């Protein structure tokens, strides 16, 4: 609960959005560079890199709110207060000059010219302009933050609507519990060692094979699949069961949540597309490792893409067998005989997860802030005004009681 209130307080700061955008960009750039270095590795490894990066980006607001901050580029507020107090005191300290002036033949009228108080007005004007500029920038960031919050709410609402529609479509489909399709499904589950419960559905619409569901997976096939050969059914079910075994639907949910939170950052959408491409290639590798010929598998994918719809209504939470996006590169990876198709190892997953957790924690310690500078400059301007008022009071009191000087002997 304490972290929740810290997160609310963090969102209320004018510069939190800039902080999130810069840090999320740094994490995604690191993931991009790492995947460039892992070009010869398997698609499963690169998919793990992008997945860990997006999960780190999604957890970034909570980590930012939980860790203590070291502000970059400016003092912290107490340090800025002390520094500006010293600077303002020295800048606004009055300089008093006493000039004795004697009036001839009148001893009682011997007076002294009132003190002349000088200030560094130019320094005060510059501070006032800087404070106004920072105040305007802070207001602009607050307006942008409100637009961002509205966009996040709309994106989350869309995701909730898609989830409801997905369940509605699942209830409209026919469940298969026996027959040739069901028997091939059980055989494929044994081949992959899939222990998660799976429901097999068929639909009259020309929808390509797809999978959804986190706790209990559902695999949807078109009604036409009953006319396919056993090998074609086996290939389609192997691909969808590979998604189930890899928990791709759960990761897809987190990817969509990340896109909803960071909808202003185009790099997040690019990373989501990379997750999709590497995910499909990793499932293709599993199909090919289970005795399917690359040429036959590529031919079947080509037929699926050309004949069936991609299911746009369910693409946010469901994972389909094929799509036109990046299909040419996917076919090249399937037909490439030297391609590494090994699944990612547990120790590799742990190492990548620790890497991005450490990077996110390191970024969370630092704070990209301009509002602290504005606060310090505003405090400096206020203290300058106080020093000026004190100096004016000192001058008035000096005029009210002028000092009397004696004649030199």
């Amino acid at each position: 609960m304490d972290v929740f209130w810290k997160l609310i307080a963090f969102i209320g700061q004018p510069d939190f959005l800039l902080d999130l955008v810069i840090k999320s960009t740094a994490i995604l750039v690191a993931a991009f560079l790492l995947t460039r270095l892992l070009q010869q590795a398997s698609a499963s490894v690169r998919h793990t890199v992008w997945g860990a990066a997006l999960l780190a980006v999604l957890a970034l607001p909570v980590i930012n709110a939980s860790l203590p901050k070291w502000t970059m580029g400016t003092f912290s507020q107490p340090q800025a207060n002390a520094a500006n107090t010293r600077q303002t005191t020295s800048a606004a300290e009055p300089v008093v000059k006493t000039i004795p002036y004697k009036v001839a033949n009148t001893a009682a009228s011997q007076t002294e010219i009132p003190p002349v108080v000088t200030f560094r007005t130019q320094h005060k004007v510059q501070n006032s302009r800087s404070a106004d500029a920072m105040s305007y920038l802070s207001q602009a960031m607050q307006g942008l933050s409100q637009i961002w919050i509205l966009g996040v709410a709309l994106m989350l609402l869309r995701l909730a609507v898609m989830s409801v529609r997905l369940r509605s479509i699942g209830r409209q489909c026919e469940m298969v519990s026996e027959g040739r399709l069901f028997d091939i499904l059980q055989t494929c589950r044994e081949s992959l060692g899939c222990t998660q419960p799976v429901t097999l559905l068929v639909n009259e619409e020309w929808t390509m094979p797809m999978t959804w569901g986190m706790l209990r997976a559902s695999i949807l096939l078109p009604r036409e699949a009953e006319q396919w050969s056993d090998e074609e059914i086996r290939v389609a079910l192997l691909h969808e069961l590979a998604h189930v075994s890899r928990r791709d639907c759960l990761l897809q949910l987190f990817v969509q949540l990340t896109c909803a939170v960071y909808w202003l950052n185009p790099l997040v959408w690019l990373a989501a597309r990379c997750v999709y491409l590497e995910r499909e290639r990793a499932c293709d590798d599993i199909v090919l490792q289970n005795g399917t010929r690359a040429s036959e598998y590529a031919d079947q994918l080509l037929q699926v893409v050309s004949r069936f719809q991609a299911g746009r209504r369910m693409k946010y939470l469901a994972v389909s067998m094929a799509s036109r996006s990046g299909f040419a590169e996917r076919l090249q990876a399937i037909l490439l005989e030297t391609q590494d198709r090994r699944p990612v190892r547990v120790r590799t997953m742990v190492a990548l997860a620790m890497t991005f957790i450490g990077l996110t924690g390191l970024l969370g310690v630092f704070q990209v802030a301009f509002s602290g500078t504005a606060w310090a400059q505003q405090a400096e301007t206020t203290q300058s005004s106080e020093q000026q008022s004190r100096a004016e009071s000192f001058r008035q009191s000096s005029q009210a009681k002028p000092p009397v000087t004696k004649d030199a002997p």
Side-chain angles (χ1 to χ4, degrees), residues 12-16 137-147 370:
Q13 297 177 5
D15 50 4
F16 85 99
L137 184 58
S138 177
Q139 293 177 359
M141 290 300 299
Q142 287 180 351
L144 184 60
S145 299
Q146 294 175 359
I147 296 175
F370 59 82

Side-chain angles (χ1 to χ4, degrees), residues 371-392:
S371 59
T373 306
W375 183 92
Q377 292 180 351
Q378 184 178 3
E380 181 180 355
T381 304
T382 304
Q383 292 173 359
S384 298
S385 301
E386 294 176 357
Q387 292 293 336
Q388 181 179 2
S389 61
R390 292 176 183 176
E392 290 292 340

Side-chain angles (χ1 to χ4, degrees), residues 32 156 333 372:
F32 174 79
L156 293 177

Side-chain angles (χ1 to χ4, degrees), residues 241-253:
L241 286 173
H243 286 304
V244 175
S245 301
R246 288 165 40 85
R247 306 286 180 173
D248 285 337
C249 293
L250 180 60
L251 181 59
Q252 177 70 4
L253 174 62

Side-chain angles (χ1 to χ4, degrees), residues 236-366:
L237 291 177
L238 278 177
H239 184 94
E240 300 307 318
L241 286 173
H243 286 304
V244 175
S245 301
R246 288 165 40 85
R247 306 286 180 173
D248 285 337
C249 293
L250 180 60
L251 181 59
Q252 177 70 4
L253 174 62
F254 286 118
V255 169
Q256 291 300 319
L257 289 176
T258 307
C259 292
V261 175
Y262 294 88
W263 64 272
L264 277 176
N265 192 346
L267 290 181
V268 173
W269 295 96
L270 179 61
R273 184 177 183 274
C274 293
V275 167
Y276 160 75
L277 294 177
E278 301 298 347
R279 178 190 70 202
E280 296 304 320
R281 292 176 184 176
C283 291
D284 292 340
D285 294 340
I286 293 177
V287 174
L288 295 175
Q289 284 183 328
N290 280 269
T292 304
R293 295 182 58 181
S295 57
E296 295 178 356
Y297 182 52
D299 181 66
Q300 182 173 352
L301 286 180
L302 185 59
Q303 293 181 9
V304 168
V305 170
S306 60
R307 295 176 59 185
F308 297 98
Q309 299 177 358
R312 295 182 179 180
R313 295 180 300 175
M314 300 183 287
K315 67 179 183 179
Y316 298 102
L317 295 175
V319 289
S320 58
M321 182 178 180
S323 175
R324 289 181 174 86
S325 178
F327 186 69
E329 294 82 359
R330 183 178 172 185
L331 286 182
Q332 292 178 1
I334 291 174
L335 298 175
L336 185 62
E337 296 181 357
T338 59
Q339 179 69 39
D340 186 2
R341 307 189 189 280
R342 292 173 297 179
V344 61
R345 298 179 180 179
V346 176
R347 61 181 182 182
T348 303
M349 295 177 61
V350 173
L352 291 174
M354 295 301 296
T355 299
F356 283 100
I357 290 175
L359 177 60
T360 307
L362 179 62
L363 292 174
V365 173
F366 295 95

